[in-house]
Amino acid sequence: MRKFYTLLTLNLGSQMTAEIGEIRLPVSEAFYISIQNVRRRFTRVAITTASVTLGIAFFVSLMMMASFQAQTGGTGIQPYMYWLLFISLLVCGVGITNSMLIAVAERYKEIGTYKCLGALDRHILEMFLIEAMLVGGIGGTSGYIIGLVAAIVYAFANPAVGITTAFSSLTQPNPAVPLAGTMPVALGLLLLGIGIAVLLSLIATLYPAYYAARLNPADALRYEI
Amino acid sequence: MALRYEYTVETEDLAKYYKMGVYIVKALDGVNLKIRRGEYVSIMGPSGAGKTTLFNMIGGLDRPTRGKVYIDEVDISKLDAYELAWLRARKIGYIFQTFNLIPVLSAMENVMLPMIFAGVRREERIRRARELLERVGLGERLYHRPTELSGGQQQRVAIARALANDPAIILADEPTGNLDLQTGLEIINLMRQLNKEKGVTIVTATHDLKMIDVSDRIIYLRDGKVERIETRAEIAVEAEEF
Ligand SMILES: Nc1ncnc2c1ncn2[C@@H]1O[C@H](COP(=O)(O)OP(=O)(O)OP(=O)(O)O)[C@@H](O)[C@H]1O
Ligand SMILES: [Mg+2]
């Protein structure tokens, strides 16, 4: 029997076992597992999400306040603000990476277990990236709400702007808003805020997820917390 | 399963060395084993003897420094990452001292996980997971999460999960290590019953002397080498002499 296999190996290379079939993890199942991870590890996810929320809240409130000012003849969105936003999002991204690296370390043994059950590297990668998307979506949405509230409070407290100006400028497009200049400001910033949050979270999670995916199962299982 | 093989596991001059600075730790050093289909084998030895290392090599979780491992006559060193994942999903069931259930998933979902990787249809997954959990005595705990189960119950879920894809072999690394005497005994008996019922080969690494009674053979490992092998018949003879 051994000789038989050796022959096959010579002829077919890695297809030596006709028996070997498919391994898969449907996206719907990966999604389900990631959602469970987000639900059940709420504290950990909340910490990661907080980073996104703050970054997006800053972005949204800054853009809205500048839009209000543009309406009242003020300076509007200034070039230096983009720099400010870029730096704030960068800081937020580093925060996500840091938090996700800890999440990976906490789950070494779990990652080893998934691999024992048949997971491929890319399945582990997929699970973490879906989780990142969820974190981005949640963080983007909550960041938008906080930013919106902050901008309205600002308009309310500032007699030079006032609540009426705020609402009218939120429902009109502001061409100075990047990418979403043709949409009403409130809607444009919602889409942009969530979009940036998801993208940022994905990029920031790439390294931790890749690291997790590459773990050797024997090493991952040895790890004790 | 199309083919039946005489030996589920064979190792040839299997060795694993770890480099620790200038030191070399010989965790395994030239192990030759043949484990028959359907056998229940215990691997005993003091701490550091190389039991977990052997378990990792046979389970395709790590690559040996030297030598070969055959699972159902396939040389697993020749498999690529994809084929190894398939082997782990379909041919091997793993049981650990620390249970290693996925904490965010229920008992049912844990048992279904290997079947997802193997591409089993959803209805079939549910049917089979329920059947297995009922078989290990957890019919009433299908939707509990690991934190809501006792250690013994968690290990039963792990056993059901290990059997999910009808593997050729179950590897259990100190399955009773975290359990009290009575619960440990129940787990050992359950594994022995399943071994007989399903004909699945079981290899356990253990310190647990209770394991001796149910084993067909006991392999004593020391310093990465096989010290001696006792078969059931010999154990029975020894027992009579007392
Ligand atoms: N990843 C590693 N790096 C370095 N040394 C290792 C590694 N894994 C195991 N060893 C060493 O190899 C030897 C065998 O370890 P192994 O874990 O196989 O023992 P064991 O028989 O399972 O012990 P125990 O009963 O305590 O679980 C030990 O000396 C250990 O220190
Ligand atoms: Mg060990």
Side-chain angles (χ1 to χ4, degrees):
Chain A
M1 198 60 204
R2 176 72 44 75
K3 286 211 177 69
F4 177 62
Y5 261 113
T6 322
L7 277 176
L8 272 177
T9 314
L10 286 176
N11 294 336
L12 301 172
S14 63
Q15 290 168 22
M16 61 194 253
T17 45
E19 228 190 312
I20 282 180
E22 213 185 340
I23 280 289
R24 64 170 84 162
L25 179 66
V27 177
S28 60
E29 301 291 348
F31 225 95
Y32 178 78
I33 293 172
S34 296
I35 288 178
Q36 293 302 318
N37 265 318
V38 169
R39 283 180 56 195
R40 307 280 182 216
R41 300 181 201 270
F42 188 75
T43 323
R44 161 99 271 128
V45 172
I47 294 169
T48 318
T49 310
S51 193
V52 185
T53 306
L54 292 175
I56 298 303
F58 181 65
F59 167 78
V60 168
S61 59
L62 200 71
M63 284 285 152
M64 284 182 175
M65 288 171 191
S67 300
F68 302 164
Q69 287 185 343
Q71 277 234 328
T72 56
T75 46
I77 296 174
Q78 298 289 303
Y80 80 88
M81 287 183 183
Y82 295 121
W83 175 243
L84 211 61
L85 288 172
F86 175 72
I87 294 296
S88 76
L89 291 178
L90 201 66
V91 171
C92 152
V94 173
I96 301 170
T97 303
N98 188 26
S99 183
M100 278 295 190
L101 277 174
I102 299 171
V104 168
E106 281 176 345
R107 293 189 220 167
Y108 269 1
K109 198 178 257 181
E110 211 174 306
I111 294 163
T113 308
Y114 278 115
K115 290 198 164 182
C116 285
L117 301 181
L120 296 167
D121 289 6
R122 70 177 152 84
H123 296 145
I124 306 290
L125 195 72
E126 226 173 276
M127 284 188 230
F128 275 100
L129 291 183
I130 292 174
E131 198 172 316
M133 273 171 53
L134 294 172
V135 164
I138 299 168
T141 311
S142 58
Y144 174 80
I145 293 170
I146 292 175
L148 180 70
V149 170
I152 290 173
V153 168
Y154 160 81
F156 194 72
N158 192 338
V161 181
I163 210 81
T164 10
T165 322
F167 279 111
S168 85
S169 77
L170 283 176
T171 50
Q172 281 167 30
N174 176 359
V177 173
L179 298 173
T182 56
M183 284 182 235
V185 168
L187 178 67
L189 286 177
L190 173 65
L191 298 182
L192 196 62
I194 294 177
I196 291 175
V198 170
L199 200 67
L200 186 70
S201 183
L202 276 176
I203 293 170
T205 307
L206 268 179
Y207 172 69
Y210 179 75
Y211 182 82
R214 292 289 308 272
L215 281 174
N216 163 324
D219 293 339
L221 287 167
R222 266 169 65 86
Y223 202 79
E224 293 286 344
I225 306 178
Chain B
M1 223 153 279
L3 296 165
R4 287 294 179 187
Y5 308 90
E6 184 177 4
Y7 294 107
T8 311
V9 180
E10 280 184 73
T11 70
E12 271 176 24
D13 189 30
L14 184 63
K16 178 72 176 178
Y17 298 168
Y18 293 104
K19 261 212 189 72
M20 302 290 284
V22 289
Y23 253 121
I24 290 180
V25 179
K26 298 183 174 181
L28 286 179
D29 196 13
V31 172
N32 294 292
L33 291 176
K34 278 176 186 251
I35 295 172
R36 272 203 183 72
R37 178 160 60 85
E39 248 189 317
Y40 192 119
V41 175
S42 287
I43 295 171
M44 295 233 170
S47 185
K51 302 185 294 295
T52 299
T53 309
L54 180 60
F55 175 95
N56 289 339
M57 297 300 136
I58 295 175
L61 301 177
D62 208 353
R63 303 255 180 210
T65 309
R66 186 183 79 224
K68 290 193 181 320
V69 176
Y70 298 90
I71 302 287
D72 276 356
E73 311 203 350
V74 173
D75 175 358
I76 66 173
S77 67
K78 294 214 165 62
L79 302 183
D80 63 24
Y82 192 94
E83 293 165 329
L84 264 183
W86 184 89
L87 184 93
R88 293 182 199 134
R90 298 299 298 271
K91 286 274 184 182
I92 304 173
Y94 303 84
I95 297 173
F96 304 93
Q97 178 172 356
T98 48
F99 322 132
N100 290 19
L101 299 178
I102 304 299
V104 300
L105 300 179
S106 70
M108 276 290 276
E109 289 162 352
N110 264 284
V111 179
M112 287 194 283
L113 204 50
M115 293 190 261
I116 294 177
F117 288 119
V120 177
R121 277 184 17 257
R122 192 177 161 76
E123 307 82 70
E124 175 65 11
R125 287 201 303 259
I126 294 172
R127 190 193 65 72
R128 201 166 152 69
R130 177 170 288 137
E131 182 185 294
L132 283 167
L133 282 168
E134 276 163 8
R135 174 61 192 86
V136 299
L138 289 177
E140 310 288 303
R141 298 275 189 285
L142 299 179
Y143 300 102
H144 286 237
R145 273 185 292 126
T147 48
E148 300 159 354
L149 297 170
S150 71
Q153 288 170 337
Q154 287 188 52
Q155 198 60 302
R156 284 165 191 271
V157 176
I159 290 172
R161 184 176 69 181
L163 287 164
N165 286 325
D166 204 4
I169 180 169
I170 287 189
L171 296 175
D173 194 3
E174 311 212 18
T176 59
N178 278 9
L179 301 173
D180 63 53
L181 201 77
Q182 181 55 33
T183 317
L185 201 59
E186 284 167 22
I187 292 294
I188 291 170
N189 287 334
L190 177 64
M191 287 184 13
R192 180 56 170 175
Q193 282 165 19
L194 290 166
N195 161 252
K196 291 229 169 101
E197 249 172 57
K198 302 189 184 280
V200 59
T201 311
I202 296 188
V203 179
T204 65
T206 187
H207 294 293
D208 194 337
L209 295 174
K210 297 194 289 297
M211 211 64 103
I212 291 183
D213 299 334
V214 299
S215 306
D216 296 319
R217 272 197 302 165
I218 298 156
I219 297 169
Y220 290 89
L221 214 59
R222 181 179 289 275
D223 298 330
K225 293 194 166 82
V226 176
E227 197 179 36
R228 66 177 197 280
I229 299 181
E230 283 179 355
T231 65
R232 196 173 180 70
E234 291 168 38
I235 302 164
V237 170
E238 266 176 40
E240 267 171 32
E241 283 171 0
F242 277 106

